[in-house]
Amino acid sequence: MKKILITALSAAITFLAAGSASAEIEETRSIKTATPPLLVIVTSEDAQVQLMSMVLTMQSAQQGADTRVLLCGPAGDLALRDAPSSVTAAQPPKNMSAQGLMKTVMQKTQTQVEVCAIYLPGKGLDQSALIEGVTAANPADIAKVMTDKYTKIASF
């Protein structure tokens, strides 16, 4: 009886271990083949840097990345309805503005765009100053994204 119980217990342990290893291998495979989430943090006031950050965000989203953009400091101006000409002026080579491409990225890729939580209060503004679809970031949500082991972070 003891021998039968030990054999059955040993078989059950082997079966469970094989199932666990198989699930771990499958999880690893799906992680390696999926494009990791991308958090793009833009702080630069330079128009070319802002535009290039949107170009790379668009390209990443089109290649399957789950993209999210956080605009802080001078880059927060990209999100303003009444934006300065520095973010709305067309730039070569495609005569596109950083704000214009950001809007396209939001519409075509479902990229979430947020301004830093302190941006609006720092400017003496509220949510109504932002273009449609842009919101103020929740620091706890951004921190969760930043600390996720699969998130890639690009800073401009």
Side-chain angles (χ1 to χ4, degrees):
M1 180 72 170
K2 245 183 184 179
K3 229 179 195 181
I4 293 173
L5 184 58
I6 290 172
T7 303
L9 188 56
S10 178
I13 290 171
T14 301
F15 176 76
L16 289 174
S20 175
S22 176
E24 188 175 319
I25 289 168
E26 191 56 39
E27 181 181 347
T28 301
R29 268 192 212 130
S30 67
I31 290 167
K32 287 181 181 176
T33 58
T35 305
L38 174 65
L39 175 62
V40 178
I41 302 172
V42 188
T43 60
S44 177
E45 64 184 313
D46 185 275
Q48 285 186 349
V49 172
Q50 291 174 350
L51 181 56
M52 195 63 201
S53 72
M54 292 303 119
V55 168
L56 294 175
T57 300
M58 175 69 96
Q59 290 294 317
S60 298
Q62 289 175 337
Q63 292 180 32
D66 177 15
T67 52
R68 187 170 183 172
V69 174
L70 179 64
L71 306 170
C72 296
D77 293 353
L78 284 163
L80 294 176
R81 289 181 191 274
D82 187 22
S85 62
S86 62
V87 301
T88 60
Q91 297 180 56
K94 296 195 176 189
N95 291 323
M96 185 166 276
S97 73
Q99 188 186 64
L101 184 54
M102 182 186 74
K103 289 177 180 179
T104 300
V105 168
M106 291 170 62
Q107 293 166 353
K108 291 190 175 186
T109 69
Q110 272 54 119
T111 295
Q112 182 178 357
V113 176
E114 300 162 286
V115 294
C116 284
I118 60 175
Y119 176 78
L120 290 172
K123 289 267 195 183
L125 302 171
D126 62 26
Q127 178 69 36
S128 67
L130 301 177
I131 61 175
E132 186 176 335
V134 178
T135 59
N138 177 318
D141 291 345
I142 295 296
K144 186 175 182 179
V145 172
M146 290 176 70
T147 58
D148 182 293
K149 67 181 178 179
Y150 298 111
T151 299
K152 301 277 186 181
I153 299 174
S155 181
F156 295 89

